Amino acid sequence: MPHPTRTLHTRAGDLTVVGHVTPPVGSGRAVVLLHGVGSSARAFRRLVDRLAPHAAVHALDLPGFGDAPHPGRDVTLAEHTDLVARYVAEHVTGAGLEPPVVLGHSMGTQVAGQLLADHPGAAAGAVLLGPTADPRARSIPRQAARLALDALGERPRAMAVLLVDVVVRCGPPYYLAQLRHVVRHRLEDVLPRTDAPVLVVRGRHDPVAPQAWAARLASLAPRGALRTVRGGHHAMDADPQGLADVVREAWAATPRGAR
């Protein structure tokens, strides 16, 4: 990542989340970035560059992904969510920053949604990019087919980073176990329980998160809205500035973030 970073850890039992952090800039704002299944904080490199001048950026590696130690077992979405809440309490609000906007991508949208519903006050709002899993594709073969279709239109460098993360860093068995949680999770049942602003975002050419699915989720969140940026499922790579603008909109929608 182009900006100076430091590494923070939060542990709970056999699970560890690793945060790659750019320093605060004096605004009190913070954003927490949650990657998709098989991915890591590295997926947000271009977005971090756009956000770092405006806030402290915490790009996380969830347990078993990226630089986070492999737990040697399956990890549920609830466990990921609880550990993210603990990380925020230790390293974001516990460091004197405002409750963050949490941006989740793909599986990260499910963790972000659960965070708002299960840990009120942990985040000021959420940006859900490329949310999974559309009910019309709630199986591993269908999700795999949509992801393969999306890969054809993504930047080769982004796909190369993802491939290394899946094959080398988390490993195919863990990836498949986590993908099972993705296809079982029902984000449409979670978002009605949130009370913070939620911006649902999709890349204009994203086959993983179709327009109708994204619009439905935005309508189910009590304070939800739908936004569109350029690119496909990995729009944080294709349109980092457009997505950064959505994050700044999310900050402005929160009482303290508007100052």
Side-chain angles (χ1 to χ4, degrees):
M1 296 178 183
H3 294 269
T5 62
R6 59 183 178 137
T7 302
L8 300 174
H9 299 77
T10 289
R11 298 178 178 88
D14 62 343
L15 302 181
T16 301
V17 64
V18 177
H20 305 273
V21 187
T22 63
V25 294
S27 68
R29 290 172 172 168
V31 59
V32 173
L33 307 178
L34 305 175
H35 59 78
V37 65
S39 189
S40 73
R42 301 195 304 161
F44 295 113
R45 284 175 172 172
R46 301 189 74 206
L47 179 61
V48 169
D49 188 42
R50 272 59 172 197
L51 293 174
H54 308 287
V57 183
H58 293 251
L60 304 191
D61 286 330
L62 297 171
F65 299 105
D67 291 337
H70 202 296
R73 65 173 179 87
D74 193 15
V75 181
T76 66
L77 282 170
E79 288 179 302
H80 285 306
T81 301
D82 291 346
L83 195 56
V84 170
R86 187 166 180 167
Y87 178 95
V88 170
E90 288 183 2
H91 300 302
V92 183
T93 55
L97 298 172
E98 298 176 2
V101 164
V102 177
L103 184 151
H105 170 243
S106 200
M107 183 187 83
T109 66
Q110 297 170 315
V111 177
Q114 287 291 162
L115 184 72
L116 293 186
D118 297 344
H119 300 272
V127 175
L128 308 183
L129 172 64
T132 46
D134 175 14
R136 297 177 65 182
R138 274 199 181 129
S139 72
I140 289 179
R142 289 178 180 176
Q143 281 292 303
R146 288 189 176 188
L147 289 167
L149 179 61
D150 176 72
L152 297 175
E154 297 286 357
R155 297 170 75 243
R157 182 175 178 179
M159 292 298 95
V161 169
L162 178 61
L163 183 63
V164 171
D165 279 340
V166 170
V167 175
V168 178
R169 303 181 89 194
C170 81
Y174 188 68
Y175 171 81
L176 289 173
Q178 293 288 283
L179 191 56
R180 292 188 186 98
H181 294 298
V182 169
V183 299
R184 292 170 183 163
H185 188 267
R186 297 176 62 88
L187 193 53
E188 68 270 31
D189 292 342
V190 174
L191 292 185
R193 297 195 288 116
T194 66
D195 57 11
V198 174
L199 295 176
V200 179
V201 188
R202 69 178 297 269
R204 189 170 290 111
H205 304 294
D206 184 358
V208 180
Q211 174 74 16
W213 167 238
R216 181 185 176 196
L217 292 178
S219 70
L220 289 171
R223 300 177 63 188
L226 178 64
R227 299 291 181 265
T228 302
V229 295
R230 293 186 291 108
H233 192 55
H234 294 260
M236 67 282 198
D237 188 75
D239 191 6
Q241 187 57 57
L243 190 55
D245 290 343
V246 175
V247 174
R248 295 177 72 180
E249 179 184 351
W251 279 322
T254 63
R256 290 193 292 174
R259 69 186 182 187

